[in-house]
Each structure stands twice: as structure tokens, then as C-alpha cells.
Amino acid sequence: MASKLSAYFLSPFFGTNNSNNTISNSISSNEHLNVRLFLSSRRFSPASCKMRQRNFSSQQKRQHVKKNLPQQPPVVADSVERVDADGDDDADSESGNDLTDAEVSLNEEIVDDIVNNHVAVEDTNEEDLESAIVPELKKTSLLNREGEDQFSSSQLHNLMNMIRNAEKNVLLLNQARVQALEELQKILSEKESLQGEINVLEMRLAETDARMKVAAQEKIHAELLEDQLQKLQNESALSGVSENSDLDMYKCQSNVLNNSSINSLSQELDSLRTENLSLKGDIEKLKTELNNVKNTDEHVEMLEKERSLLQSSLKEPESKFSISQEEVSELSTLKVECMGLYKKIENLQGLLDKLSKQADQAILVLQQNQEMRKKVDKLEESFDKANSYKLSSEKMQQYNELMQQKIRLLEERLQRSNEEIHSYVQLYQESMKEFQDTLGSLKEESKNRALDEPLYDMPSEFWSRLLLMIDGWFLEKKISTSEAKLLREMVWKRDRHIHDAYMACQEKNEHEAVSAFLRLTSSTTSSGLHIIHIAAEMAPVAKVGGLGDVVTGLGKALQKRGHLVEIVLPKYDCMQYDHIDNMRALDVVVESYFDGRLFKNIIWVGTVEGLPVYFVEPLHPDKFFWRGQYYGEHDDFKRFSFFSRAALELLLQAGKKPDIIHCHDWQTAFVAPLYWDLYASKGLNSARICFTCHNFEYQGTAPASALASCGLHVQHLNRPDRMQDNSSHDRVNPIKGAIVFSNIVTTVSPSYAQEVRTAEGGRGLHSTLNCHSKKFFGILNGIDTDAWNPASDATLEVQYNANNLQGKAENKLALRRHLGLSSAGTRQPLVGCITRLVPQKGVHLIRHAIYRTLELGGQFVLLGSSPVPHIQSEFKGIANQFKIHDHVRLILKYDESLAHSIYAASDMFIIPSLFEPCGLTQMIAMRYGSIPITRKTGGLNDSVFDVDDDTIPFQHRNGYTFLNPDEQGVNSALERAFSHYRNNPESWHQLVCKVMNMDWSWETSALQYEELYAKSLARARAFANRSKA
């Protein structure tokens, strides 16, 4: 709902009050006045309705009533006596209860209806709808297939748009019902508080009425006393002079008592009247509010009508959806038929070509025959003429004989020509036969060549599944080491024979499948590298930060370049299991050493994003990876040192001979010392170790004695040149150990690699990095350009690309509507920010940027949260400040779908980090056409170049940067960006198109890693050759 609706549901009824208030004031020792008060309370029951927002909250009303109520006057009572009174209020109570029962029953029916509808809508999702409709559509499409011949793409597009609109209507209906239910709960709670306030007011009103009655009776009693005093004065006048003195004294005392009691009673009566008036005013206000909610039933009926209209409006899209499904199925059948026709046409075309060649040869022969026939006809004509003149002279006879000779010669020539033609026809037939034989041999050779060529048209998931199946057979001792190696190499090369064998074994049992695969084994050589990543994260199944994106993105890019890539992960209980394909547990248990004994590990396999993944599940009593979170446990050092050794044990027992083992961050930094100290001597010695640190702020230090748990020698490694922490000699540093024991050390950007070699940026490891600088490199990360692609992003309102930016404007308008921001200014720039709110990200500069954007006339949207309590609390306060603002919105959580929308809608994207190892948001922002505003540090300095910097080539300028981490730097960059956006829209449009076309994929980064791998392996081989020599 665009604005918050506050509603109250009230239904009055009366009940008797069991408490009796008795007030008694004593004027004299012989007289008592007893008063009993009855206080009736009103209660209210809920009824469903919608109302305009109240002028003030229930809490404010409560405070308002307290202010208007006067303080209770003191009551002087010598004695209090409880007296039974008549129960006149019972009738009112019963009538009030009758009204309440009717209204309560109506309200319960309405609430039940809304709740049931809400539950029904929630239980129906898109998948259920599709599973219910699609089978029926298929049946109907089979019946109507004969009546339909064609189906245009424009009609299909229109139908798909109608289907999307119907789905959006369903979602809007669900949201409206859920919001109505939430508002109903709020209304019920507000009703209860209002009921309590009314009860308090009625009790106080009753008390004031009772006090007024007591005061009136006391006044009457005082008037009686005055009359008695007057009589006494009259009698005293008749008495003697001796009594005058006594009478005067008594009169003075009576006057004093009378005047004081009258004054006090008058004052108390006035205060009670004032209090009574204020209470009556409050009651009038409450009655006014009660009158405002009498239309609850009408509002409920309106809601029901709206619900019925929405349901009826869904019927037409559903019918069109069914029709479209029928036509889509018919279109698929037509496509299949067209493919068959295309094949037949190709065959006929080949036959036609052959016949055309034969016809051409026959036409040539026919033309030669026709020419010879024409010559014969001419000779026959001349012969006839000669016959006509034969009788005339002997010369004619001689001529005739000569002509006869010529005719014989011509006949002989004609016969020879016929023989030549016959020989040509035989030669043509022989050549055609030879051509057909050659064509058949070429087809056979092409078929054989196709069988020998790699099969690249199968998805990577298929080959990963084959690889995991072969590894499972090996670990289960069903195939030997050499057989597993040969089969892995066939999968690695995407051999067609192993593909065909797998397809042929689909319906066979496992024993027959193993036999079929073993028949394929033959000597082969591999052309790529075997790379195994051991990591604590992998997107999207186990992602906390950028590490998960790097493992998946780099792995996929290396796989595309022809390398065999495998991943080893812990099996967390909180993983996104729906992103894992074909997950299963192997029928084998891998034992690994820890804390002086062997622990079993269950090995699971599956494919993620087309990559084969091994999941290690430790059977340890501490349940290392069944904690509900990835990091942040008190024993993280033990958890990940256990995993690092178990991962190496898996590689050893699986018989793998990788070329590269790539470990990441301190969680798997233990792999490097474990490999060289323990596993290289056991036979796992073919690999070079590459270690990547994604953020040197997190180093995972622990007491040196903790190393012994995973089997490492504490005294051997707790030395300054190995794993001893540079700032504490009784602690070990896994990051330092990985730097020392790895063959290749990398970080995530060239600038960050330079920064961490200084005392300010190295977090205590600068000296170690400088000592090993020859093997330390900075490689800029990339992004998954398939997942982050505005042209195919299904989460966006409208897809778009650099050639058509109209979709970006529509996404900006959609985000404004979704967040309740003003859409009045079409040229009002929108600044986005998606980040974790931690000190590293420059939270004080983000806060300043919000207010500065408002001052410059822009809009600001922030998405993110903070694990630091005081930072989260501070930004909650800012979010509440701008809760209903037209130009600022803060969403203090992470929402993947909303993140895509913000990237697509924002004109600028601010990243004012104090330090940033790499950063991916600036690359994603540019991919979606949002111009980055960043501080020159780390990976930001390697990917964002200021548009006003003339020292940078024009084709690389893509954003606005500032150097100093202060408010002046942020102001300068924001002001230049706003000026460019408003004053030069054409240039801004060109800048947006340029940044969208920049390549931020993993291709370049993967090539750099590939070169580092190859150089390290070459050095290792050269060293081995020298050692042998």
C-alpha cells in the first residue's frame, strides 16, 4: 500500500463493575452520610474495516487524557460503611451484551474469511499453477493440432505479455490480502488500548459524580446547621444577660466552622465540576470516534467486492494462458515437422543436383545429334534434286554417283559419331559411379573423423557428472587407478566415445556400465591443466562475500579454456542445496587425522554452475559444519584446519594428480604447509600450490599450540621465517604460513598488492610479503557477465542494452514506484549504494553522501546492513528520519532481487571505501549503465578512471574519483557528476553506453592465472630435470 492505513474496530457492550466506592464525610459526631456509587464499564470488540489515519496515536491519546484529568481532591472520612445498592445497571449490561454478540460473530466471520483467503493464496505459487495447467494444455493442444497450421511470433509475444500481466495481478492480490491481514492485527491491538482508556475515563467520571453528590448533600447539611444556628440566636435573645457571653462564644465558633466547611465544600465542588466537564469533553471525543467507525461493514463489503473483482479479472488471463499453451505446443510440433521437411528437402536437393548434371550431358549429346541430322536432311534434299535431273544427262548420273559416295561417307561418319556418343555415355556412367564411390568414402571418413573429434555441444554439467561418477567408482574400488586416470582424461578431452558409452548405459545396471566404460580405456594424453580449488565458499551455494564469486567465476572461466577444474568445499548445513545438481553421497568413508586420532568423513558429490564439487562432511562430535552459519564460531581455527587436512586426504585417497591446488584466504591457508610437510612425501606431490588472499584484514591467528590438532609440528613452524605471527611470538598466522609455503601468492587487484606491501596496508604482513615479492602478484577479479546482464536479467521490470537505454528509464520509474519515491522529476539523478555497512566501506562518507545528494537535488537509495550494532542503530535512525521522504530510502537488509533493480535504476553509484581489495559493485554498476563515484584505492583504482583526468586515455575514462577519504572529496565528485548529468545529457548518454560495453568478465583474469600456473609448472619441471642431471 502506498500509505499506511490505520483502522479501529469497536463494538460496545456493557458489564457490571464489582467494585463499590463509598465516600463518607463526618460533620458531627452523631451524623453519618453513606453513599454507594456504581461504575459501568464499556468494552469493545473488533470488526474489520479501513479508516483514514488517526490524527494521533493511541499512546498520544493516553497522554492527552492523563493531562486533562485533574488531581483527586482529598477525602476526609472518619468512617466508611459499605451499603448494598440497587442493581439498576444490570439491564443496560444485558442489552449491551446482546449487541456485542452479534457484532462479534460478524467480525469473526470476516476475519476468518480474510485469513483463509490469505492462506489459500500463499499456498498457491507459480509452480503449482503451472503443474496444474500444463497437462491439461497438452491434452487440448493434441486435439486442436490438426486445425492450426501457423502461429506467428507476434501473437506468441502478446500472449506471453498477457501471462506476465496475469502473474503480476496474482502477486498484487496476494500482497493486498497479506497487508489487509497485517492491518487487521494492528487495529485489534489499537482497539484494546482504546478500550482501556475508555474504562479509565468512565471510572473517573463515576467517581466525580459521586463526589458531586456527596458535596451537594454536605451543602444541604450546612444550610440546616445555619437554620439551627438562627433559631438558637433567636432563643438567646429572649434569655438573660448572663447567657450572652456563652452565646457569643458559641456563635463565633459556629460561624468559623460553618464558613470554613462551606468554603472547602465550594472549592471541592468547583474542582469536581471542572473535572467533570473535562471528562465529558473526552467522552464526547470518544463518541465522535465511535461514530466514525460505524461504517465498518461497508468497508468490509468494499474489500470483498474488490477481492471478487480481482478473482474475476484473473479468469480471462487464465483462459488466454491456456489457449497460448495450446498454441505453443502446436508450434513445437510444427517445428519438429519442419525439421523433418528440411532434411527431406536437403536429400531431394542432392538428387536434383545429380540429375541436373546427367541432363546437361544428355543435352550436349542431343545437340550434336541434331546438328548431324540437319546435315543428313540437307544431303537428302540435294539427293532428291539430283534424282530429278538424273534423266537429263549423264553428268547428272556421275554427280549422282558422287553424291552416293558422299552419302556413304556421311553415313560412316554418322556411325562413328554414334559410336563416340555411346563411348561418352559409358564414360559418363563410369565417372558417375566413381563419383558416388568417392562420395561414400568421404562420408565414411567424415563420420569417423566426427567420432574422433571432441564433443563440445554438451553442457559442462554433463562432463562434470561423468567425472564425479568415475571418481565415485574409483573411491568405491570398482576401477583401478590407471583405469580411472584414462577415463578422466577422456572426459577431460570431451571424447565422443565416452559420451556415446554413457548414453548407451542409461538403462543398464552399474556393473554393466563399468564394463562398458572399461572397454574404452586406451592410452591418451591431456592438453590442459588439472586444477583443484579448496575453499570455504562458492557462489551461489555457500556465499558470504566476494570469495564465493571468485571461486565460481574463475573456475568456470578456466573450464571454458579447456582445463579440468574441481572444487572441494565443507558440507555446511546452511548451504543453498537447491543450487546443487545430482548431489549424492559416495559409498566410501575417508578417514583424516585430528587431535591424535582418525575421524571419518562422508564425501558428497554434485555439480554447481557446471563445475564438479566435492563436499566434505566430518563425522566429528563437535559438528564443525552444522552450526547454522559459515563463520563466526569460537573454534573456527579448529573447524577449517580439520577441513584442510580432510580435503588433502580426499585427494590422496582418490588417486588424483592435480597440476595446481588453489587455496583461498586463511580458512584454507593450512593446505600449503600440510601439503609440503605431510602429503608430498605420501605421493601427493604433482601439484604446485597457489594461494589467494582476498582481504589481509582477516588473518585467523591463534595460539601456536592449536597447530598440533591437524598434525603440524608446532616447534618446526612457530618460527619467524615460517608461521609465527609477526606481532605476537606465541601465536601462529595461517596467512603468513600460506605466503611462505605456496609457490604462487596472489591478491585481488594490482593496486591492493602494492598497498599491502606498506606498513599501513599490510596489517603486519608487509615485511613477509616484501620478502616473497617475486611470487606475489595482483590480479583484478572479474564478474559473472551471464548472471549480471541487463539484456537477459529476469528480475528487472524491463530488459535493456547499450543500444537501447529506454529500458533503464523504465526501471528507474519502476523502482521509484516500488520504494514510494517521487517520480515528478524525470531528469532528477538517482544515486545508488549497495554495501555492507562496516568501517572499511567508509560509512561516515556514505552518511554524508545521503544529505549532500539531497542538497544537490537528487535521490538516494541505500541497500545493506551492518554486523556492527552501533552502526546498524545509527542507520536505523536515518532510515526512520527518511521513512516517508520523497527522495531518500534506506533498506537495511540484503535483497538480491532489489539489488538488481537498484543497479538498473540508478544513474550513479557511490563507493567511498577507506580501502577496497577489489570490489565488484563498481563493475556490476557499469554493466547496468550506472556511473561509479569511487575513492582511488585498491581495486577501485584499477577499474574506475576519472572522466576529467587527461592523463588517462579517453576510451578508459568511466567514472568520477576522489583521493582523500573526507567530505570535501565526496562533495567534489558528486558535484561534478551532477553537473555533467544535468548540463550535458548527450555526453552523459555516450558515457553510459561506453561503460556498458566495457569487458569485466573473467576471461582476462583467467588468462593471467593460467600464465602464472604454466610458469610455475615450467619452473618445477626445469628444476626436476636439473636434479636428475
Side-chain angles (χ1 to χ4, degrees), residues 495-623:
D495 194 299
R496 185 182 295 271
H497 295 87
I498 198 168
H499 164 269
D500 295 340
Y502 177 78
M503 301 304 293
C505 295
Q506 289 291 320
E507 309 231 343
K508 296 182 180 179
N509 59 40
E510 188 177 35
H511 178 71
E512 293 174 342
V514 171
S515 300
F517 272 67
L518 291 179
R519 286 195 292 269
L520 299 174
T521 56
S522 60
S523 61
T524 182
T525 57
S526 59
S527 58
L529 299 177
H530 186 185
I531 304 162
I532 297 178
H533 289 269
I534 302 177
E537 295 182 35
M538 181 185 184
V541 294
K543 177 184 174 182
V544 176
L547 168 59
D549 294 313
V550 171
V551 172
T552 304
L554 178 58
K556 289 169 65 177
L558 290 170
Q559 186 184 63
K560 288 180 181 178
R561 296 187 61 82
H563 303 292
L564 176 59
V565 181
E566 298 177 296
I567 316 294
V568 183
L569 285 178
K571 185 179 181 293
Y572 300 101
D573 60 339
C574 53
M575 285 194 305
Q576 303 296 319
Y577 286 93
D578 54 332
H579 293 289
I580 307 174
D581 296 327
N582 304 308
M583 187 174 186
R584 65 185 181 92
L586 296 180
D587 188 16
V588 65
V589 174
V590 174
E591 292 186 336
S592 61
Y593 175 89
F594 200 76
D595 280 339
R597 52 171 290 194
L598 294 177
F599 289 93
K600 295 180 179 180
N601 299 274
I602 299 176
I603 307 301
W604 297 73
V605 295
T607 57
V608 178
E609 298 286 323
L611 294 168
V613 184
Y614 299 85
F615 301 94
V616 178
E617 179 183 3
L619 298 181
H620 192 280
D622 290 341
K623 298 186 180 298

Side-chain angles (χ1 to χ4, degrees), residues 431-474:
S431 64
M432 284 297 297
K433 184 178 179 181
E434 183 179 359
F435 171 74
Q436 290 176 353
D437 293 340
T438 305
L439 182 62
S441 62
L442 288 174
K443 287 182 178 179
E444 188 68 24
E445 290 177 4
S446 176
K447 183 178 179 180
N448 294 333
R449 192 181 301 111
L451 291 174
D452 294 333
E453 289 180 353
L455 189 64
Y456 291 111
D457 57 349
M458 294 299 294
S460 56
E461 289 85 352
F462 172 80
W463 301 108
S464 298
R465 187 163 61 249
L466 268 181
L467 185 65
L468 293 173
M469 183 177 69
I470 293 168
D471 285 344
W473 288 346
F474 173 74

